[in-house]
């Protein structure tokens, strides 16, 4: 594209329309219709009557998750008398492997289809948009009416509020939920009817209506914990799990970043780059040793060599959510560095997931309030553990690590390095504390 109109933030709504008289290509053009403003990535004139739209999909396989966005963009364009003949989707190439230099022509693909859950092309994008197209006049009017009044509607709780992930605005909409007691019925995990039960006057876990619970192991553990005064332990299951753990125990935790555009040779779009690990080794006599590795750029091979050097050759390797994190990182290392493949895969065979006793309902303490992340459990055992750190969670760690590679002034890199090491080490320390707690429960 050599001759084109380039839109900018704050453009008057007439500017892009005027540009259509001179240009066949419009990039980042802003359009408005009925007070709805959109930015169109690429708009191309095919002939005097018809246009095609190129959307950008920031992913590997274009799925129809943002169908409202596509439809509403087309709605605005058609409201401005554009006849849209076709829709294309520009996305990242899942098979591209970076060489020494980034090959932009190979990095991106263009598709006319949306992909299904198996990442296979299914429906033409233009057909999918036409099928889902809607007139949003009434919705826009409701939005405008809301803007014109001081009335704030009451928040309505739906399954989307606490679905796969709790909405970030949840506590703003429902501030009273924070005040719920530890044994509140509202903490019942994966419960469809917990609010209905509360409205019926069933306020605590032990009061749960057996006809309105799903009957999962976690729910059973929660109800039993409340019934027994706050803690439930399936001692037989716990001892059985503990018998799978062998000394020396190596507690392992990785921190990593994921890049849409591969920054280093051998990486693909959305590959993960581990930049830090913490290793804490517990011997049978109770003594411990600790190692931390932190890189600033692409030090994956050095990380692998360091890990293999320090991790015990026998015993269990323990991680929290090992199945969803550390096992995957180890497998990725094995694929990237075949010379270390056997040693790395042998590590995965010794991997034990510390999350298992909690996600299977083997243990529940009402202070967990329906959650079982490592930080939640650790804060229950040592209240000020993570709060006293300058870096509190994984996303903060990633944000801090990014600055180590930036050429910025007024950045205390030594402090960032120290804080990153302290945070990652806290994760393995937390695992150690939780494991010892499980041992004490089994012995009681």
């Amino acid at each position: 594209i050599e001759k084109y109109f380039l839109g900018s933030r704050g453009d008057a709504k007439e500017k892009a329309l005027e540009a259509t008289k001179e240009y066949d290509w419009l990039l980042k053009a802003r359009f408005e219709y009925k007070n709805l403003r959109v930015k169109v990535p690429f708009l191309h004139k095919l002939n005097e009557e018809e246009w095609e739209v190129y959307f950008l999909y920031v992913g590997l396989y274009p799925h129809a998750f943002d169908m409202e966005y596509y439809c509403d963009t087309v709605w605005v364009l058609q409201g401005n008398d554009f006849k849209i003949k076709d829709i294309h989707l520009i996305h990242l190439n899942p098979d591209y492997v970076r060489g020494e230099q980034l090959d932009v022509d190979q990095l991106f693909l263009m598709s006319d289809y949306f992909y299904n859950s198996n990442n296979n092309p299914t429906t033409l994008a233009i057909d999918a948009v036409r099928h889902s197209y809607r007139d949003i006049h009434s919705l826009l009017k409701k939005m405008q009416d809301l803007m014109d009044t001081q009335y704030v509607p009451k928040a309505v709780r739906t399954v989307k509020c606490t679905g796969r992930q709790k909405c970030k605005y949840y506590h703003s909409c429902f501030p009273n939920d924070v005040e719920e007691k530890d044994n509140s019925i509202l903490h019942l995990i994966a419960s469809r009817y917990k609010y209905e039960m509360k409205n019926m006057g069933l306020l605590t876990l032990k009061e749960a209506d057996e006809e309105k619970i799903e009957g999962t192991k976690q729910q059973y553990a929660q109800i039993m914990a409340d019934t027994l005064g706050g803690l439930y332990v399936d001692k037989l299951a716990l001892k059985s799990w503990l018998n799978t753990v062998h000394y020396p125990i190596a507690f392992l935790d990785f921190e990593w970043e994921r890049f849409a555009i591969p920054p280093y040779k051998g990486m693909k779009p959305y590959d993960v780059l581990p930049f830090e690990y913490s290793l804490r080794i517990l011997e049978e006599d109770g003594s411990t040793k600790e190692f931390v590795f932190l890189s600033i750029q692409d030090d994956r091979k050095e990380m692998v060599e360091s890990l293999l050097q320090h991790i015990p050759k026998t015993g269990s390797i323990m991680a929290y959510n090992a199945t969803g994190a550390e096992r995957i990182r180890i497998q990725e290392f094995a694929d990237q560095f075949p010379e270390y493949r056997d040693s790395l895969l042998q590590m995965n065979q010794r991997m034990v997931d510390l999350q298992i006793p909690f996600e299977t309902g083997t243990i529940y303490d009402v202070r967990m309030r329906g959650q079982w992340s490592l930080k939640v459990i650790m804060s229950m055992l040592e209240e000020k553990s993570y709060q006293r750190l300058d870096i509190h969670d994984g996303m903060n760690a990633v944000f801090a690590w990014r600055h180590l590679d930036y050429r910025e002034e007024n950045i205390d890199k030594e402090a960032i390095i120290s804080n990153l090491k302290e945070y990652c080490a806290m994760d393995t320390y937390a695992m150690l504390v939780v494991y010892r707690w499980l041992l004490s429960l089994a012995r009681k």
Side-chain angles (χ1 to χ4, degrees), residues 253 276 278 280 290 292 420-430:
D253 179 71
E276 184 177 19
S278 172
R280 194 177 298 267
E290 178 190 347
V292 176
L420 283 169
K421 288 183 176 180
E422 189 176 15
Y423 169 74
C424 195
M426 176 59 75
D427 279 343
T428 53
Y429 171 71

Side-chain angles (χ1 to χ4, degrees), residues 189 217-226 228 230-242 320 353-373 377 380-381 433-443:
I189 297 170
K217 293 180 180 179
Q218 284 183 319
Q219 289 180 341
Y220 174 79
Q222 289 184 281
I223 293 168
M224 287 301 296
D226 191 21
L228 296 172
L231 175 66
Y232 167 77
V233 182
D234 183 338
K235 290 185 67 174
L236 198 61
L238 178 58
K239 288 181 178 180
S240 178
W241 180 82
L242 287 170
Y320 202 86
D353 196 335
L354 183 57
Q355 184 176 252
I356 294 296
F358 301 97
E359 68 177 9
T360 57
T362 298
I363 298 168
Y364 186 76
D365 188 307
V366 295
R367 292 175 295 171
M368 290 161 58
R369 296 171 67 88
Q371 302 175 63
W372 65 94
S373 71
I377 298 168
M380 184 180 74
L381 301 176
V433 171
V434 172
Y435 177 73
R436 284 174 168 167
W437 178 56
L438 298 184
L439 285 176
S440 70
L441 293 178
R443 290 168 180 160

Side-chain angles (χ1 to χ4, degrees), residues 229-282:
L231 175 66
Y232 167 77
V233 182
D234 183 338
K235 290 185 67 174
L236 198 61
L238 178 58
K239 288 181 178 180
S240 178
W241 180 82
L242 287 170
N243 285 337
T244 67
V245 182
H246 306 287
Y247 290 98
I249 305 171
F251 298 95
L252 178 64
D253 179 71
F254 286 111
E255 302 297 332
W256 63 83
E257 171 67 299
R258 186 184 295 272
F259 295 90
I261 298 175
Y264 301 114
K265 182 180 178 180
M267 294 183 68
K268 300 171 70 172
Y270 282 103
D271 262 1
V272 167
L273 180 73
F275 61 82
E276 184 177 19
Y277 78 73
S278 172
L279 179 66
R280 194 177 298 267
I281 301 169
L282 173 65

Side-chain angles (χ1 to χ4, degrees), residues 196-236:
E196 182 178 327
M197 285 189 278
K198 183 181 181 181
N199 293 334
M200 293 168 56
L202 308 176
L203 304 181
T204 63
L205 292 167
K206 64 184 177 184
E207 296 176 291
D209 185 344
E210 64 181 27
E211 298 297 327
K212 293 187 179 299
I213 62 174
E214 288 74 11
T216 66
K217 293 180 180 179
Q218 284 183 319
Q219 289 180 341
Y220 174 79
Q222 289 184 281
I223 293 168
M224 287 301 296
D226 191 21
T227 303
L228 296 172
L231 175 66
Y232 167 77
V233 182
D234 183 338
K235 290 185 67 174
L236 198 61

Side-chain angles (χ1 to χ4, degrees), residues 377-393:
I377 298 168
M378 183 59 176
S379 64
M380 184 180 74
L381 301 176
E382 291 190 14
E383 186 176 355
K384 299 295 184 181
S385 55
Y386 283 91
Q387 286 73 16
R388 63 181 175 80
L389 302 179
D390 289 319
I391 294 176
H392 303 292
D393 57 49

Side-chain angles (χ1 to χ4, degrees), residues 143-159:
M143 294 170 67
Q144 189 59 53
D145 290 344
L146 190 61
M147 296 292 289
D148 293 338
T149 180
Q150 297 298 316
Y151 169 70
V152 178
K154 184 179 179 181
V156 178
R157 189 182 281 105
T158 73
V159 293

